[in-house]
């Protein structure tokens, strides 16, 4: 017990703290050390949370203040929601979370990706024909067909 | 000497609504492509691919001029910054980048600034409504061809969490000498910040204020509709415009001699100085602008002041004079000469 008398309230016992090597035997815990332990644990958690596509960790996101790719949002979603509420409103005590209410994209992401892929392939096809690389052109034509079929299926579905 | 107003960007060639206080309005949208990593993670090669993909679409849909790496040297980048067509971040970052600009110099689309796309439209005066309609149309057109990164929860996915959701910032460039001279500006800034608005210097984020010019725009981008952002920004700006006009009235009623003295001294220096640096020129032109708005000076138009405000800046002066090799003192001399010629001539002939 220290002079403030609140040491026993904290949910980390001395046994565990000793195991982690934070506390040398014979000493008792103090508030600063406990905060340090908790911070370390949080840091470890943030370093382990990683976006599978761009490999940015949540720890790095907090360090740079920037995302690495569109998939980061799914990877970090849970931690992101309170974070966004904190930085994106002055009314922080408000109960509800802060989500997008504005305009939406009209073309689905999958569809627009297909469209841009088809466009790219068409340009490559033209190039291959221009350069008289007919083997390559045939390959591209097959890929193009595949993508266009996928697009058609997407339209029906 | 009368200068052609086509020397400056389209949005500064006319004095729009509430032009005594509102210099110009701007809306910008931040957008990214689903099929590429953001700039924090994209390699230089990927950054080049991003430019090529966007170029293919925009060149097909619009008649904009594209400026790529080979054109964007230090002076040209600053020339565009001084014309408000690119941001400080775009000038400084080391990405592979490019910018599309329309022939009127009211629209610019930066590629690989902080996001893959930064689309902006500017207009003279207080004109957020008109801009909003036009930027929405442009954005819809691009969205049909470019795979925008979007999520139902977080809206348009942006590199920085401060732009998430709408990715939209609506800003008005204000001239607020009245609030400065009556010591009311601090109060106005505090009030604006407390309700979620950003008050920044002349080129935006992290830039200093000169000549009593301020950019004020929405801070928050998620949790409300675009229309609400525009509406809220308009309401705040209307209040500040009112506040500024009241301050000017007060000055004219209670400190008439002091204000007239200040204005004519500025005029005196601008029409007689042998050397002028750009910051001094902008500060004096700001006082002159106040004098024109208050009716103290009647023979100089606000458009003339707009033109000079751009041409006195370093890179724009270099482009105007077509002399890249002038040193600082030579530039200060040529700047003073230009200002003198323009203001004196306007004085004699613009009856
Ligand atoms: Zn334990
Ligand atoms: Zn990622």
């Amino acid at each position: 017990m220290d002079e403030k008398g609140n040491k026993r309230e904290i949910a980390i016992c001395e046994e565990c703290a000793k195991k982690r090597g934070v506390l040398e035997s014979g000493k008792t815990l103090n508030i600063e050390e406990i905060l340090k332990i908790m911070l370390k644990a949080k840091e470890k958690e943030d370093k382990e949370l990683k976006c599978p596509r761009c490999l940015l960790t949540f720890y790095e996101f907090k360090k740079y203040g920037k995302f690495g790719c569109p998939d980061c949002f799914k990877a970090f979603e849970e931690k992101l929601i309170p974070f966004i509420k904190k930085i994106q409103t002055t009314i922080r005590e408000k109960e509800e979370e802060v989500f997008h209410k504005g305009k939406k994209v009209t073309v689905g992401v999958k569809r627009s990706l297909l469209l841009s892929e088809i466009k790219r392939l068409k340009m490559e096809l033209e190039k291959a024909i221009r350069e008289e690389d007919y083997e390559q052109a045939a390959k591209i034509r097959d890929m193009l067909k595949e993508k266009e079929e996928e697009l058609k299926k997407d339209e029906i579905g | 000497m009368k200068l052609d107003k086509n020397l400056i960007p389209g949005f500064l060639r006319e004095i729009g609504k509430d032009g005594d206080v509102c210099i110009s309005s701007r809306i910008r949208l931040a957008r990214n492509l689903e099929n590429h990593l953001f700039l924090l993670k994209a390699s230089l090669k990927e950054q080049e691919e991003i430019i090529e993909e966007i170029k293919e679409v925009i060149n097909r849909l619009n008649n904009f001029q594209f400026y790529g790496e080979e054109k964007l040297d230090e002076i040209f980048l600053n020339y565009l910054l001084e014309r408000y067509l690119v941001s400080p971040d775009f000038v400084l970052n080391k990405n592979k980048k490019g910018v599309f600009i329309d022939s009127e110099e009211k629209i610019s689309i930066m590629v690989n600034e902080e996001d893959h796309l930064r689309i902006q439209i500017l207009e003279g005066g207080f004109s957020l409504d008109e801009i909003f309609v036009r930027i929405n149309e442009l954005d819809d057109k691009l969205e049909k061809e470019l795979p925008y990164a979007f999520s139902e929860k977080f809206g348009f996915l942006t590199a920085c969490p401060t732009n998430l959701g709408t990715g939209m910032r609506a800003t008005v460039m204000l001239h607020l000498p009245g609030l400065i001279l009556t010591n009311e500006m601090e109060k106005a800034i505090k009030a604006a910040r407390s309700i979620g608005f950003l008050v920044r210097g002349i080129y935006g984020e992290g830039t200093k204020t000169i000549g009593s010019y301020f950019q004020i725009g929405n801070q928050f981008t998620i949790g409300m509709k675009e229309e609400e952002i525009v509406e809220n920004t308009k309401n705040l700006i209307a209040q500040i415009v009112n506040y500024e006009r009241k301050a000017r009235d007060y000055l004219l009623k209670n400190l008439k001699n002091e204000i007239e003295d200040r204005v004519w001294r500025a005029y005196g220096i601008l029409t007689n100085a042998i050397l002028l640096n750009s910051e001094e020129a902008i500060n004096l032109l700001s006082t002159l602008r106040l004098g024109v708005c208050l009716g103290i000076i009647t023979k100089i138009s606000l458009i003339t002041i707009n033109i000079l405000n751009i041409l006195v800046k370093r890179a724009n002066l270099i482009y105007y004079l077509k002399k890249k090799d002038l040193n600082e003192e030579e530039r200060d001399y040529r700047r003073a000469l230009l200002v003198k010629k323009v203001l004196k001539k306007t004085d004699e002939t613009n009856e």
Side-chain angles (χ1 to χ4, degrees), chain A residues 88-100:
Chain A
Q88 278 269 7
T89 173
T90 40
I91 322 154
R92 301 210 180 126
E93 56 281 5
K94 213 168 56 171
E95 276 300 304
E96 76 231 57
E97 313 288 2
V98 182
F99 290 120
H100 182 56

Side-chain angles (χ1 to χ4, degrees), chain A residues 12-13 15-16:
Chain A
I12 297 177
C13 72
E15 210 52 45
C16 283

Side-chain angles (χ1 to χ4, degrees), chain A residues 24-38:
Chain A
E24 289 162 44
S25 49
K27 279 191 186 166
T28 51
L29 280 173
N30 69 39
I31 280 281
E32 266 163 55
E33 278 168 342
I34 289 162
L35 283 176
K36 231 186 263 170
I37 296 166
M38 284 163 51

Side-chain angles (χ1 to χ4, degrees), chain A residues 100 102-103, chain B residues 132 156 166 168 224-230:
Chain A
H100 182 56
K103 84 192 262 192
Chain B
F132 180 58
F156 292 94
T166 59
M168 184 169 114
M224 55 204 144
K225 287 189 161 71
E226 287 83 356
E227 287 82 357
E228 289 175 75
I229 292 175
V230 171

Side-chain angles (χ1 to χ4, degrees), chain A residues 111-125:
Chain A
R111 196 176 133 74
S112 76
L113 281 177
L114 273 172
L115 284 170
S116 82
E117 181 67 8
I118 287 170
K119 228 163 20 200
R120 195 182 60 80
L121 286 170
K122 278 184 178 160
M123 286 192 326
E124 273 181 33
L125 181 62

Side-chain angles (χ1 to χ4, degrees), chain B residues 62-117:
Chain B
N62 298 284
N63 202 9
F64 298 155
Q65 183 69 45
F66 177 76
Y67 302 99
E69 286 291 307
E70 58 303 332
K71 194 78 185 35
L72 298 173
D73 58 20
E74 184 269 332
I75 293 186
F76 190 61
L77 278 167
N78 277 293
Y79 168 86
L80 294 176
L81 172 70
E82 291 168 1
R83 297 168 90 80
Y84 307 99
L85 296 167
V86 302
S87 65
D89 180 68
F90 187 79
V91 172
L92 294 173
N93 80 34
K94 297 274 179 269
N95 300 336
K96 295 276 171 195
K97 57 198 169 190
V99 59
F100 297 89
I101 296 171
D102 74 318
S103 60
E104 277 192 286
E105 288 185 83
K106 288 180 173 182
I107 304 173
S108 87
I109 303 176
M110 286 174 263
V111 181
N112 295 346
E113 196 238 33
E114 184 182 274
D115 296 292
H116 296 154
L117 285 155

